[in-house]
Every structure is written in structure tokens, then in C-alpha cells.
Amino acid sequence: MKLVLSEEQRELREAVRGFLRTASPLPKARDGYDPKVYARLNGELGLSGLIVPEEYGGAGAGLSELAVVLEETGAALLPGPFLATAFTALALTATPDKELLTGIAEGRVAATLDQGELSFDGSAASGTLPRVLTGMEADVLVAPAPSGEGGGKVLLAVELAGPGVRRTALEPLDLTRGLAEVVLESAPARVLGPAPQAGVGDRLCVALAAEQLGVMRAALESIVAYAKVRVAFGRYIGSYQGVKHKLADMHGKLEQAESIVRYAAWAADESPEELPEAAALAQAYVGRACFEVARDHLLLHGGIGYTWEHDAHLFYKRAKADEVLLGPPRIHRARLAQLLEL
């Protein structure tokens, strides 16, 4: 088991962190998705192709490397379809499609993955997907449909700008990442291959936990910096015991979350038999811990933390949206208990 980043992974982290610090600083998160930043993210760093196999033009890296990147995009509250495209690439590792993976690796295609089932007549797909992650920003939708053979399923790819597709932007809780209702009415679709039966959902859980880890880290760093300069009743608020205890609790949650994410990412790459338990643990713990840290980050800022102008609500909303994105923590706790035969 490896819980410490390698030298190459640390260099990757610093490269991504430095890029986001200048190209997408936190204040820009309020502006929403910037296609120019997304293009640079792929053109300069090649991040969309990080986990795409080399034969399709990607770097062929593992989930451990993707987790490093997602931690940084989470800390920056990066708007746009990067997480959704990463989800799609993870799903396609079990059902590789040259055209789509090459487009993702080259940064030409932003994709989104939805678990809602479509109907398919062999050439066109129909159905309503009520909450598609970054559905307005993505170019391609990947979703399952019945194969018509023995109850199996296939993955379909639908061009979201094509005929038979109607998209409606929704007002999301997380203002830095969009949601859309997508309605397909005999929209042209092509089969990518059999829908993965197992493992993909676990990898998505680990990827999301990595983003949540980044949100936790950035929120804790923010409130620690504030506690060092905010004066109340003649003292820096960081000197009060109650504030110290809360910050220590937040730090403890961050340390535990980091260990869980590193272990889960390692399991995905090196020990697949451990992945189901590791992935369930990641979302059972990290999802809730991220929200609690973001909540306390807001509370410790006092009155200013509740204002629209402050960034605290952005962390709070991203943490809450992420907490339920792949199902609430109670679902993952129940699964973990089942896997452990408790």
C-alpha cells in the first residue's frame, strides 16, 4: 500500500496548482465555465487525456494521478466539465471507444456520463435525463440503454448539439458547476460497447472523493489564514480555545480523508479486489467530512461568511452538491457494512 505521493505525482500537483492559481483563481469560479481555461488545461497540461490509454493518444496514467489532479481542481472550485469528462473516461476504460477517447485525449471533446437509462431502437435514443452534470457545457452524452439481448445493457454516445436533443439549464445548488435537463427524442446515437457490469462505479466514487479532499484542504487553509488576522475582543480569533478545537477537528478530518483517498486510489490501480470496500469507505467518510469542514469554514468566518460577496458559500455549496452526487453517505455506509458482512 502506498499513501505518499511519488516525486512525479508531487510535480504533477505543483504544475496543476500553479496553472489554476493564475488561470482560474477562486474569484473566477463565480463567473462559471470558461472554455478558454478548459482549452488551456488540456492544451498546456493534457489533463483530459491523463487516464486515457496511450493507444488513444492519452498519457495512460492511473487513478492515483487523476486523484492528484482532481484534488487541485476541487481546491480551486474549477467550473466546467472536467470532472464529468473524467467520469466518462473512467467508464470507457472498461468499454474503450477510439473516436470518443481520442477526442477526450486531444481536448476536443467534453463529455458527461449519466446513469439514467435511455431507450434505443438501434440507431436513435429517446428519454429524459432530469439532472445531467454540466449538460449544457458537454459535447457528448454517454448513458446506458437496454441491449435487447438477455437483459444486458450497452453504453450509447449522443452528440448533444445534434438533432433530437433539447437541453434546459437548471438552477443548481453549486453555482460553479452546471446541471441541465436533457430530453432526447429519436436523437442519433451510436453504441460504444457493453455497459460495464462492475468496478466503474467504485472508480467514480474514488475520483469524486479526491475532488472533495481538495475542497476540504482549501476551506481549511482559508479559515486558518482568517483566524490569524481577524481580531475580536482585542485578540486574534485563532487564539481562542473554542476556535482552536474546531480547527483541530477540521484538520483531523482532512488527514483521515487524505489517507482514505490515497488508499482507495492505490487500490483502484494496484489491488482491484480491495477497491469495492475502499470506494465505499471513501464516499461514506469523505463525502460527509467534506461537507462538515465546509460548514465549519463558513461558521467560523462569522457574519461575513454568510454574505454573497464572501467565498465561504461557494465551498459550502460545492461540498453539499458533491456529497449527494453519487448517492448520500448513508448508501455507501450500508454498502460498506454489507461488504464487511457486518
Side-chain angles (χ1 to χ4, degrees):
M1 185 189 307
K2 191 173 182 181
L3 301 181
V4 179
L5 297 181
S6 67
E7 182 178 352
E8 292 80 6
Q9 289 168 341
R10 290 195 297 270
E11 290 175 353
L12 174 63
R13 179 182 63 186
E14 291 306 313
V16 177
R17 184 176 297 180
F19 172 86
L20 293 173
R21 186 181 297 120
T22 57
S24 187
L26 190 58
K28 285 196 67 175
R30 296 171 178 268
D31 299 333
Y33 173 50
D34 184 348
K36 294 181 180 179
V37 172
Y38 188 75
R40 288 184 58 196
L41 195 70
N42 296 309
E44 297 177 23
L45 300 179
L47 295 186
S48 284
L50 187 67
I51 58 169
V52 173
E54 293 180 3
E55 58 263 38
Y56 302 114
L63 191 49
S64 295
E65 286 72 34
L66 178 62
V68 170
V69 173
L70 286 171
E71 182 181 345
E72 296 307 316
T73 60
L77 300 180
L78 179 69
F82 184 78
L83 178 68
T85 301
F87 277 2
T88 308
L90 286 170
L92 293 178
T93 56
T95 310
D97 178 80
K98 181 178 180 180
E99 180 181 341
L100 185 49
L101 284 174
T102 300
I104 290 174
E106 294 177 352
R108 294 183 290 102
V109 175
T112 186
L113 178 72
D114 197 272
Q115 300 180 36
E117 191 170 297
L118 303 172
S119 62
F120 182 58
D121 64 6
S123 61
S126 298
T128 298
L129 303 175
R131 288 177 297 276
V132 177
L133 188 64
T134 58
M136 298 300 293
E137 296 89 346
D139 304 304
V140 175
L141 166 71
V142 174
S147 65
E149 299 177 2
K153 295 182 181 181
V154 294
L155 282 183
L156 302 179
V158 179
E159 297 286 342
L160 288 174
V165 179
R166 186 172 73 253
R167 294 184 281 180
T168 304
L170 304 176
E171 185 175 349
L173 172 63
D174 176 10
L175 302 178
T176 66
R177 179 181 287 152
L179 288 173
E181 179 188 60
V182 177
V183 179
L184 306 180
E185 297 175 347
S186 298
R190 64 185 184 88
V191 176
L192 301 177
Q197 296 299 310
V200 170
D202 292 332
R203 293 165 71 83
L204 302 188
C205 286
V206 178
L208 179 60
E211 176 179 280
Q212 291 165 322
L213 176 63
V215 174
M216 293 175 71
R217 190 197 78 222
L220 180 58
E221 290 175 352
S222 169
I223 188 56
V224 167
Y226 183 74
K228 292 178 179 179
V229 298
R230 176 71 169 96
V231 175
F233 303 104
R235 293 171 54 182
Y236 293 114
I237 64 170
S239 68
Y240 289 104
Q241 189 175 43
V243 174
K244 290 180 181 179
H245 286 175
K246 182 63 72 174
L247 293 176
D249 288 343
M250 294 166 71
H251 180 73
K253 291 173 183 177
L254 176 65
E255 290 291 304
Q256 292 180 69
E258 183 173 5
S259 295
I260 291 169
V261 170
R262 299 278 183 260
Y263 163 60
W266 170 86
D269 292 337
E270 305 293 342
S271 185
E273 66 276 7
E274 297 181 54
L275 178 57
E277 293 178 7
L281 174 62
Q283 280 307 303
Y285 179 81
V286 181
R288 186 61 187 174
C290 177
F291 174 70
E292 291 173 348
V293 168
R295 176 199 64 198
D296 292 340
H297 166 258
L298 188 152
L299 293 174
L300 288 173
H301 272 92
I304 194 174
Y306 288 84
T307 64
W308 181 262
E309 292 75 17
H310 199 273
D311 294 330
H313 71 93
L314 299 177
F315 287 103
Y316 182 91
K317 292 171 180 176
R318 171 66 70 92
K320 189 60 182 177
D322 276 359
E323 184 185 22
V324 298
L325 183 59
L326 296 177
R330 60 180 174 80
I331 292 178
H332 300 283
R333 286 196 297 270
R335 181 172 182 245
L336 180 60
Q338 183 179 32
L339 290 169
L340 296 175
E341 298 182 351
L342 297 180

